[in-house]
């Protein structure tokens, strides 16, 4: 919402009591000015409300040269005055009674419009001002130097104020016409636009009589001794002469209580000067509204005569009623819109707020109105910045003042609000109040934080995946050579122990690779049907040694829990990481509780509103440690975030836990509070044990060999050399290639080739594409794909689409030997 649209909303009404009257009074001050300054005030405030470069109110000057003459204009915030030709202008269609809307290209659309050319306008909206006969007598226009996306709001706002502007224009035009007429007639009429009259009495009336008796005698003995044509017209006559000598009782409208009350008021006041409003229905059936002023001449306690004037304020009254209805619509709009609206007085007190604020923050109107806005609803640490923003708004009411702050609810809850602020000024241009319109951006801020968290995890996950791929190649070489040496080394040889330890170290490296991939949520976990109670039991002794003697370990396991589809090694890693975190949170000892249970979450979120409906197994790790603040709680799963001292934590433990749990299809919930410990609840989908996948536990004691010819394609020299040596050691003939181009040449030049063993990701051409190409000339060749990029979805998809079998890096000599025989022996 722009700063000027808030100016339109400054005229909003409050929903009850004194606040409503205060807002109405300010709105009337802005939009209901009477007299010469009316149109100037309206143009100025409409320009502010519509954020328009120029707003003008004009009347149509008919004659040989039809023109538009401005009554008032606000150009770039300053008063202006101009006149232009009506034919060919944007105002011409308005003179026919139709609004004109042009969102862009206004000067091209109306090339003969002198005013648009002078203003360099690109967009404009204009609505007609009608006279009492329903014909356009003028118009109100808003022009913009830039194209506008939509003109519906400016059009609606102009139409709201058009009736009031039309009424004032018609009043002024009628005044001019009457003045011209008075100059052509007698001087008495020329000097008075209101009806004027004098009543005389056939016999004086004693003022000591009761009021009702005086009223009766005024009607019986009173007659019109003097009047003007205005009174004659008011009473349905043509000339004043037609009223002279007429008795009051012949002219009084007995059925109208307001007329009778006006006379009684004059009596009760002792015939001093009084002014009162009256109304009656004229012969045409239209209700007329009058403003009647009167005073009596009393001599020696006897009423001698009454002087009076009557002003027809029907048009003004109708305009006022229309304005009241318009202001009420604005107030209703402020109450219906889903935005916070607060009006603050010069002392910082809340003069008005809409229901949306009360409903959002849980405040009651009685607890808000009159209270200091900053002290009640804004946190203390933001007061300084807020005061600076509010002072900037007061200094420059034409500038858009936008800022953000926290909004405090009645129960201490907080929302993040984006504010647009503007000022309300009185008729002298002094600041009277400030209006703030706020939009709740709490949900947006939460989504932005989640998006940044996802970006961090994505970036670190990509880094982890790249490291894992390169590490896989190294491990392939190390594990491969170790395996070959171990096969050739006697168990009694001292080198056998060293080689075995080397292989163990390499396998630990493979575990580290899996941890990196689990952190990045990019590893195929090879899940198994797992019972979490068994996992806890198998890990319990290790956990006791890990947490130390000063921490009590308690397990509370439900024997009826179902199975989950997860990898045992990675769930073991989850338990270890959570136990280490719990230990560090209890430096002086405490209790660590591990429990398991079944959990059903129904469609209404029973169990947890953050979890999708379904059947789960819940594993809970609870400590009695220091707990975490809300700020820390938000960041605990971010990579590299840690509250531990430098050198005592990497910040990857809980990120790894989150990756494993989410990749296993589960969720992790955290309940924590400073001084009250922490509880991590892991929810994994419950599965049928028979349907869960099982890992292949086949133990190979003798490596299968062969004599076939294998074309080996691998762009990493050390990996290729290791794989070739393993295959040759098993009896195969191996043709080595460092890339697709050399492999194609070897396939064309060589004799029979039984199997193509190729890397998937290579420069120039993928392994699956190479296999398809070689299949064209060697239809019977068998294919096995190798990949260390299996964490990348596009690589997994490529392998799946190709339909070729695959082997994962790093692989052992045993795994490679078995895969070769498996594929070569397949018919």
């Amino acid at each position: 919402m722009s700063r000027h649209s808030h100016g339109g909303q400054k005229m909003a009404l409050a929903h009850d009591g004194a606040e409503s009257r205060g807002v109405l009074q300010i709105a009337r001050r802005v939009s209901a000015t009477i007299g010469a300054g009316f149109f100037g005030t309206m143009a100025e405030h409409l320009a502010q409300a519509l954020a328009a470069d120029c707003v003008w109110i004009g009347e149509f000057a008919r004659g040989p040269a039809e023109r538009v003459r401005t009554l008032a204009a606000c150009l770039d915030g300053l008063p202006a005055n101009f006149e232009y030709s009506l034919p060919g202008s944007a105002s011409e269609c308005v003179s026919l009674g139709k609004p004109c809307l042009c969102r862009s290209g206004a000067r091209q659309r109306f090339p003969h419009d002198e005013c648009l050319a002078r203003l360099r306008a690109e967009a404009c909206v204009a609505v007609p001002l009608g006279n009492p006969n329903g014909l356009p007598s003028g118009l109100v226009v808003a022009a913009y130097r830039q194209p506008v996306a939509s003109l519906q709001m400016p059009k609606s706002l102009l139409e709201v104020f058009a009736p009031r502007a039309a009424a004032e224009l018609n009043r002024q035009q009628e005044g001019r016409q009457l003045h011209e007429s008075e100059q052509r007639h007698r001087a008495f009429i020329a000097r008075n636009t209101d009806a004027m009259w004098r009543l005389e009495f056939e016999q004086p009336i004693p003022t000591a009589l009761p009021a009702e008796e005086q009223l009766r005698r005024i009607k019986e003995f009173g007659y019109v001794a003097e009047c003007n044509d205005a009174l004659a017209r008011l009473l349905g006559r043509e000339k004043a002469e037609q009223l002279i000598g007429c008795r009051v009782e012949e002219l009084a409208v007995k059925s109208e209580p307001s007329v009778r009350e006006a006379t009684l008021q004059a009596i009760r006041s002792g015939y001093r000067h009084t002014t009162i409003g009256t109304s009656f229905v004229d012969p045409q059936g239209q209700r007329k509204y009058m403003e009647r002023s009167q005073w009596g001449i009393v001599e020696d306690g006897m009423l001698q005569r009454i002087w009076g004037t009557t002003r027809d304020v029907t048009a003004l009254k109708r305009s006022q009623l229309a304005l009241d209805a318009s202001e009420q619509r604005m107030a209703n709009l402020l109450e219906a819109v889903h935005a916070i609206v607060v009006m603050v007085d010069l002392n910082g007190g809340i003069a008005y707020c809409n229901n949306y604020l009360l409903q959002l923050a849980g405040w009651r109107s009685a607890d808000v109105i009159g209270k200091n806005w900053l002290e009640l609803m804004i946190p203390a640490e933001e007061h300084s910045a807020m005061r600076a923003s509010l002072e900037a708004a007061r200094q420059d009411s034409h500038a858009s003042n936008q800022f953000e702050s926290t909004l405090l609810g009645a129960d201490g809850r907080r929302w993040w609000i984006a504010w647009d602020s503007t000022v309300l000024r009185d008729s002298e241009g002094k600041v009277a109040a400030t209006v703030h319109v706020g939009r709740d951006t709490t949900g947006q801020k939460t989504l932005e934080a989640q998006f940044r968290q996802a970006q961090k995890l994505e970036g670190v996950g990509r880094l982890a995946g790249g490291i894992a791929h390169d590490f896989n190649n190294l491990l392939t070489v190390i594990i491969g050579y170790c395996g070959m040496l171990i096969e050739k080394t006697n168990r009694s040889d001292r080198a056998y122990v060293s080689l075995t330890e080397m292989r163990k170290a390499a396998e630990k490296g493979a575990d580290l690779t899996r941890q990196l991939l689990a952190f990045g949520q990019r590893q195929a976990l090879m899940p198994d049907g797992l019972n979490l109670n068994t996992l806890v039991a198998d890990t319990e002794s290790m956990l006791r040694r890990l947490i130390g003697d000063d921490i009590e370990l308690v397990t509370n396991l439900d024997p009826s829990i179902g199975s989950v589809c997860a990898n045992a090694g990675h769930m073991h890693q989850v338990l270890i990481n959570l136990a280490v975190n719990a230990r560090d949170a209890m430096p002086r000892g405490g209790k660590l509780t591990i429990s398991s249970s079944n959990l059903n979450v129904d469609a209404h979120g029973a169990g947890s509103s953050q979890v999708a409906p379904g059947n789960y197994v819940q594993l809970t790790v609870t400590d009695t440690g220091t707990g975490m603040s809300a700020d820390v709680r938000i960041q605990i799963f971010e990579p590299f975030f840690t509250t531990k001292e430098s050198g005592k934590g990497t910040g990857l433990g809980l990120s790894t836990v989150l990756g494993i749990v989410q990749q296993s299809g589960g969720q992790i919930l955290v309940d924590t509070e400073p001084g009250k410990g922490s509880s991590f609840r892991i929810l994994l989908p419950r599965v049928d044990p028979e349907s869960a996948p099982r890992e292949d536990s086949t133990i190979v004691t003798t490596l299968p060999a062969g004599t076939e010819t294998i074309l080996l394609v691998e762009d990493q020299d050390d990996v290729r050399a290791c794989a070739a040596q393993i295959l040759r050691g098993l009896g195969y003939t191996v043709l080595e290639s460092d890339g697709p181009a050399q492999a194609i040449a070897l396939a064309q030049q060589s004799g029979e080739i039984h199997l193509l063993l190729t890397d998937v990701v290579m420069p120039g051409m993928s392994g699956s594409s190479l296999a398809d190409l070689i299949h064209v000339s060697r239809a019977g060749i068998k294919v096995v794909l190798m990949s260390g990029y299996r964490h990348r979805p596009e690589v997994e998809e490529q392998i799946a689409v190709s339909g070729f079998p695959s082997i994962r890096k790093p692989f052992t000599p045993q795994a490679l030997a078995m895969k070769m025989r498996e594929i070569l022996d397949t018919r």
Side-chain angles (χ1 to χ4, degrees):
M1 187 177 293
S2 73
R3 63 184 174 92
H4 292 310
S5 62
H6 300 316
Q9 292 188 353
K10 289 187 286 187
M11 296 180 292
L13 304 182
H15 59 281
D16 54 27
E19 299 81 40
S20 176
R21 292 192 297 273
V23 174
L24 282 171
Q25 189 174 18
I26 294 174
R28 288 171 180 150
R29 185 186 310 155
V30 173
S31 62
T33 307
I34 297 175
F38 171 82
F39 290 119
T41 302
M42 176 174 284
E44 176 187 354
H45 287 280
L46 283 177
Q48 293 178 8
L50 300 176
D53 297 295
C54 183
V55 169
W56 71 89
I57 303 164
E59 65 177 342
F60 299 125
R62 307 293 183 178
E66 295 185 316
R67 301 188 65 78
V68 177
R69 181 172 58 249
T70 59
L71 301 170
C74 180
L75 175 59
D76 296 328
L78 298 175
N81 186 30
F82 44 83
E83 186 173 336
Y84 57 94
S85 177
L86 179 63
S89 69
S91 305
E92 187 173 23
C93 66
V94 184
S95 69
L96 301 176
K98 300 177 181 179
C100 176
L101 288 85
C102 183
R103 295 184 298 175
S104 62
R107 284 176 289 168
Q108 290 75 21
R109 181 176 172 185
F110 303 102
H112 302 296
D113 194 312
E114 306 166 7
C115 185
L116 295 181
R118 185 185 310 125
L119 297 175
R120 304 188 306 280
E122 285 295 323
C124 66
V125 55
V127 298
L129 305 179
N131 62 21
N133 298 322
L135 299 175
S137 59
L139 78 170
V140 55
V141 187
Y144 302 82
R145 296 194 179 103
Q146 298 293 330
V148 178
S150 173
L151 291 173
Q152 287 305 312
M153 190 279 289
K155 175 176 176 289
S156 299
L157 192 56
L158 292 181
E159 288 177 341
V160 168
F161 285 92
R164 179 65 185 92
E168 182 64 16
L169 174 58
N170 293 332
R171 189 189 71 80
Q172 292 187 12
Q173 290 177 337
E174 290 171 359
R176 291 198 301 268
Q177 294 169 0
L178 182 59
H179 180 69
E180 294 169 359
S181 175
E182 289 170 345
Q183 287 182 338
R184 291 192 300 267
H185 296 85
R186 53 196 176 93
F188 180 80
I189 298 298
R191 290 192 296 270
N192 296 278
T193 59
D194 299 330
M196 300 187 65
W197 43 269
R198 175 171 56 88
L199 300 182
E200 296 286 347
F201 304 99
E202 293 178 348
Q203 59 184 49
I205 300 173
T207 57
L209 293 174
E212 290 291 340
E213 179 59 23
Q214 291 186 59
L215 175 62
R216 187 188 69 78
R217 294 193 180 194
I218 288 173
K219 291 180 180 180
E220 181 180 356
F221 302 127
Y223 62 92
V224 178
E226 187 177 0
C227 71
N228 59 5
D229 290 347
L231 180 64
R233 291 191 295 270
L234 191 64
L235 296 179
R237 311 295 173 88
E238 293 182 359
K239 296 293 183 178
E241 290 77 4
Q242 296 175 292
L243 295 179
I244 302 301
C246 291
R247 293 187 175 277
V248 172
E249 61 183 357
E250 298 175 11
L251 303 175
V253 185
K254 300 179 181 179
S255 60
E256 290 294 340
S258 64
V259 176
R260 181 176 185 274
E261 181 60 32
T263 307
L264 284 173
Q265 183 171 330
I267 296 171
R268 296 189 187 105
S269 69
Y271 299 101
R272 288 188 295 271
H273 185 277
T274 58
T275 300
I276 189 170
T278 64
S279 69
F280 64 91
V281 177
D282 67 10
Q284 289 73 38
Q286 299 293 321
R287 179 160 290 277
K288 296 285 189 176
Y289 296 91
M290 303 294 157
E291 186 176 84
R292 175 174 169 179
S293 296
Q294 56 197 0
W295 63 96
I297 305 299
V298 178
E299 298 177 356
D300 298 326
M302 305 294 286
L303 175 64
Q304 304 295 330
R305 63 188 59 84
I306 296 178
W307 285 94
T309 63
T310 303
R311 172 178 293 180
D312 185 352
V313 293
T314 302
L316 180 62
K317 183 65 174 179
R318 288 173 180 171
S319 297
Q320 187 65 54
L321 293 174
L323 178 61
D324 290 345
S326 173
E327 291 172 345
Q328 186 61 52
R329 286 194 297 270
M330 291 181 185
N332 294 339
L333 176 62
L334 287 182
E335 294 300 339
V337 70
H338 278 214
I340 298 171
V341 181
V342 181
M343 185 168 68
V344 181
D345 62 28
L346 296 181
N347 296 320
I350 299 174
Y352 164 79
C353 69
N354 64 347
N355 281 330
Y356 182 78
L357 170 61
L358 303 178
Q359 295 167 2
L360 176 69
W363 293 102
R364 296 183 307 168
S365 179
D367 298 331
V368 170
I369 301 301
K371 302 296 175 57
N372 186 279
W373 180 39
L374 294 184
E375 294 178 0
L376 183 68
M377 296 185 178
I378 308 299
E381 62 271 17
E382 299 181 22
H383 285 183
S384 177
M386 285 283 286
R387 288 192 178 96
S389 296
L390 298 179
E391 183 60 30
R394 293 192 183 99
Q395 295 299 325
D396 187 0
S397 62
H398 300 292
S400 176
N401 186 34
Q402 300 174 336
F403 55 93
E404 292 183 328
S405 77
T406 305
L407 176 70
L408 294 177
D411 58 357
R413 187 179 170 189
R414 297 187 173 207
W415 289 265
W416 194 254
I417 307 298
W419 297 98
D420 285 283
S421 180
T422 188
V423 300
L424 295 177
R425 296 183 181 272
D426 58 22
S427 59
E428 298 179 356
K430 297 180 181 179
V431 175
T434 56
V435 174
H436 312 283
V437 179
R439 176 170 53 89
D440 182 6
T441 60
T442 307
Q444 178 182 337
K445 293 286 184 182
T446 301
L447 289 177
E448 289 174 356
Q450 292 174 349
F451 178 68
R452 287 193 295 269
Q453 169 74 355
Q455 284 183 315
K456 291 179 183 178
L457 290 175
E458 177 70 17
V460 179
R462 288 182 180 274
L463 174 64
I467 294 173
H469 173 260
D470 294 338
F471 200 26
N472 273 339
N473 284 333
L474 296 176
L475 294 175
T476 300
V477 176
I478 296 171
I479 293 174
Y481 282 123
C482 281
M484 287 188 290
L485 290 174
I486 289 173
E487 291 295 328
K488 298 176 181 178
T489 304
N490 192 294
R491 288 178 177 271
S492 60
D493 194 326
R494 293 177 60 185
Y496 183 86
V497 176
S498 299
L499 290 170
T500 303
E501 291 300 319
M502 288 175 61
R503 183 171 66 181
K504 288 181 180 178
E507 290 172 347
K508 288 181 180 179
D511 289 337
L512 177 58
T513 301
R514 285 190 290 271
Q515 180 178 347
L516 287 171
L517 294 176
F519 160 72
Q521 302 183 39
R522 296 171 175 274
Q523 181 189 17
L525 294 181
M526 294 178 292
D528 194 4
L530 179 65
N531 185 290
L532 295 181
N533 286 352
T534 303
L535 175 73
V536 174
D538 292 343
T539 313
E540 186 173 352
S541 59
M542 179 184 296
L543 293 178
R544 292 187 185 278
R545 291 194 299 271
L546 184 66
I547 62 178
D549 296 335
D550 57 344
I551 296 177
E552 178 186 2
L553 176 62
V554 177
T555 59
N556 183 15
L557 307 177
D558 183 353
S560 66
I561 66 169
S563 297
V564 297
C565 188
N567 180 271
H570 290 90
M571 292 308 299
H572 171 82
Q573 183 182 356
V574 168
L575 270 178
I576 295 296
N577 278 335
L578 292 179
V580 169
N581 273 6
R583 178 198 64 192
D584 295 341
M586 297 183 287
R588 297 193 177 116
K591 179 189 291 187
L592 176 63
T593 303
I594 302 176
S595 59
S596 65
S597 61
N598 292 314
L599 178 67
N600 174 261
V601 179
D602 59 27
H604 301 289
S608 174
S609 60
Q610 306 175 48
V611 181
N615 296 318
Y616 296 87
V617 175
Q618 178 174 266
L619 182 67
T620 305
V621 179
T622 304
D623 64 66
T624 59
T626 55
M628 292 175 279
S629 66
D631 293 339
V632 173
R633 161 67 186 84
I634 294 173
Q635 305 177 74
I636 58 175
F637 292 113
E638 291 190 10
F640 307 117
F641 174 78
T642 179
T643 58
K644 299 175 184 178
E645 297 178 11
S646 178
K648 293 189 177 181
T650 64
L652 293 177
L654 288 178
S655 297
T656 301
V657 168
L658 178 65
I660 292 172
V661 171
Q662 289 185 342
Q663 198 172 358
S664 300
Q667 296 192 50
I668 183 168
L669 308 177
V670 182
D671 300 314
T672 184
E673 192 174 338
K676 296 185 179 181
S678 302
S679 179
F680 289 81
R681 294 191 292 145
I682 298 170
L683 276 66
L684 298 174
R686 193 160 69 240
V687 299
D688 182 359
E690 286 72 20
S691 65
R694 297 287 177 178
E695 294 184 1
D696 187 2
S697 59
T698 305
I699 300 176
V700 179
T701 58
T702 304
L703 297 184
T707 59
E708 291 87 350
T709 299
I710 298 176
L711 175 56
L712 172 62
V713 187
E714 168 61 61
D715 60 322
Q716 295 291 329
D717 295 341
D718 48 0
V719 177
R720 186 178 66 254
C722 177
Q725 187 169 339
I726 294 173
L727 294 172
R728 290 190 180 107
L730 295 172
Y732 297 103
T733 299
V734 181
L735 304 176
E736 296 184 50
S737 171
D738 63 358
Q742 186 180 9
I744 294 171
L746 286 174
Q748 293 172 348
Q749 299 167 6
S750 304
E752 184 177 10
I753 300 176
H754 299 88
L755 184 141
L756 170 65
L757 177 61
T758 178
D759 194 13
V760 176
V761 180
M762 296 182 294
M765 184 181 295
S766 68
S768 58
S769 298
L770 174 63
D772 290 336
L773 187 61
I774 292 178
H775 253 290
V776 174
S777 58
R778 295 179 178 270
I781 192 171
K782 296 182 178 179
V783 178
V784 176
L785 302 178
M786 300 181 293
S787 178
Y789 279 106
R790 296 295 288 274
H791 59 281
R792 284 168 48 175
E794 64 270 22
V795 176
E796 288 284 359
E797 181 180 3
Q798 185 181 141
I799 294 174
V801 170
S802 72
F804 297 127
S806 63
I807 185 170
R808 187 187 306 273
K809 297 178 185 177
F811 48 73
T812 63
Q814 291 87 349
L816 182 60
M818 292 179 63
K819 178 61 72 174
M820 294 300 98
R821 289 294 356 133
E822 174 191 344
I823 303 306
L824 288 169
D825 293 341
T826 301
R827 296 183 61 183

